[in-house]
Amino acid sequence: MKTITGILLVMLMHSALVDSAKAQDRKAALVPLPSVDDFTRGENGWALGLGLSVEYEAAYEGSDEYDFEVDLAGAVQWRRGDNIFYWAGETLGWRGLRSEIWLLDAAVGFDEGREESDSDDGHLDGLGDGDEGVEFVLQARRAFDADWRYWLDGRVVAGENGTLGLLAVGRRFGDQTDGTGHEIAIAVVFHDSDYANTDFGINAEQSAASGLDETNLGGGFRSIGLNYNYRQYIAEKWQIFGEVVYEHYSSDIQDSPITRSDYEAEVGIGFIYVF
């Protein structure tokens, strides 16, 4: 009887270890970065993560007015090997892993533009609503090694309102392979004159209507920023995630009459259910 019981215990322990290993394999992310959501658990086919986030953020670029905003979070994803196609909010894209150290991403999204009513204090009165437009995003991240402990990031955003570029370096904390843990990055941002004037420029018509000085900005250095990401499973299918963003503007942007603060900050937290 003791022998049979021992055999059964060994079989149960072995089964539990196998199940645990399979669960870990299912949770293997395309890259183990908290800033890159992956709901596929390492499996090919469809995946869905859906939840809500609460963000405390500026009312518009350069604003000193802050408020809470509740948004949907998550994405619909389809994975085939080292490629994931995704639909997240107003963005449709693809990302793929190459040679274990390159993450490439291409997406098309929609920029809603700024509205005059975004300022409750009337700081945008007379400027009118900004133009809506389609944006194309190309991104490449390169890890220094296969575990993605340190990485470099380059990104270009181009659309009807101009072009923005970003260069960043980041570090991942923790040993998880499922995309959870902590991550921090420092970024330098550049833009062309069209992009700069979309957010911070004032043409002659806007100047006459608002009483603000006419402002025409050139392209170049926009800001330096810090980004922190956190993601963790709190149950088998529930994730909690958070983000802190700080962006310090260049002197040219600070001189714009639209800019009422030298920096912009954002704090967000949310929950996602992975189906």
Side-chain angles (χ1 to χ4, degrees):
M1 177 67 83
K2 289 183 179 180
T3 301
I4 296 176
T5 303
I7 293 174
L8 289 174
L9 286 174
V10 170
M11 292 176 61
L12 288 172
M13 291 175 63
H14 175 74
S15 176
L17 289 173
V18 170
D19 289 343
S20 177
K22 288 181 177 179
Q24 179 65 24
D25 290 340
R26 286 197 299 269
K27 292 182 179 180
L30 189 65
V31 290
L33 298 180
S35 59
V36 182
D37 52 12
D38 182 352
F39 307 127
T40 66
R41 297 176 180 267
E43 297 180 349
N44 290 329
W46 290 100
L48 171 63
L50 187 61
L52 291 174
S53 67
V54 179
E55 299 175 351
Y56 185 70
E57 59 184 0
Y60 56 90
E61 299 285 349
S63 174
D64 60 354
E65 302 171 55
Y66 283 79
D67 204 352
F68 289 96
E69 182 174 340
V70 179
D71 293 313
L72 287 174
V76 178
Q77 300 174 340
W78 186 82
R79 180 167 182 169
R80 178 61 60 184
D82 288 335
N83 300 279
I84 292 180
F85 297 87
Y86 61 90
W87 173 39
E90 298 176 334
T91 302
L92 184 66
W94 158 87
R95 65 174 63 108
L97 182 65
R98 298 294 180 267
S99 302
E100 299 298 323
I101 59 172
W102 282 98
L103 177 66
L104 307 178
D105 198 316
V108 57
F110 183 73
D111 180 10
E112 297 180 349
R114 185 186 65 202
E115 296 183 0
E116 190 173 302
S117 60
D118 286 344
S119 174
D120 292 334
D121 296 337
H123 297 310
L124 299 177
D125 290 352
L127 297 180
D129 294 340
D131 294 332
E132 301 175 341
V134 176
E135 290 184 335
F136 298 91
V137 181
L138 296 176
Q139 180 180 6
R141 290 195 189 190
R142 188 191 189 283
F144 288 98
D145 47 39
D147 68 358
W148 286 82
R149 183 68 57 203
Y150 295 93
W151 49 264
L152 294 173
D153 186 16
R155 190 181 314 168
V156 175
V157 180
E160 301 172 55
N161 295 325
T163 302
L164 177 143
L166 178 147
L167 296 173
V169 58
R171 188 191 193 285
R172 177 177 75 93
F173 301 90
D175 298 321
Q176 301 96 318
T177 62
D178 58 358
T180 62
H182 306 261
E183 180 185 352
I184 191 168
I186 298 175
V188 180
V189 186
F190 303 87
H191 55 194
D192 65 8
S193 59
D194 289 337
Y195 206 101
N197 286 295
T198 296
D199 291 330
F200 304 104
I202 301 173
N203 59 34
E205 182 180 352
Q206 292 173 321
S207 177
S210 66
L212 301 176
D213 292 339
E214 187 174 348
T215 302
N216 184 36
L217 298 174
F221 173 60
R222 175 187 176 96
S223 63
I224 184 169
L226 182 70
N227 185 277
Y228 169 80
N229 281 277
Y230 168 77
R231 188 180 299 272
Q232 189 64 52
Y233 277 97
I234 56 176
E236 182 181 356
K237 294 188 175 183
W238 281 99
Q239 286 186 1
I240 182 174
F241 66 94
E243 184 178 24
V244 178
V245 180
Y246 176 84
E247 182 180 11
H248 192 84
Y249 294 127
S250 67
S251 57
D252 287 346
I253 293 180
Q254 293 179 24
D255 291 339
S256 168
I258 293 177
T259 308
R260 302 187 60 84
S261 177
D262 295 343
Y263 67 90
E264 182 178 339
E266 177 183 327
V267 178
I269 188 170
F271 296 89
I272 289 179
Y273 182 83
V274 181
F275 289 83

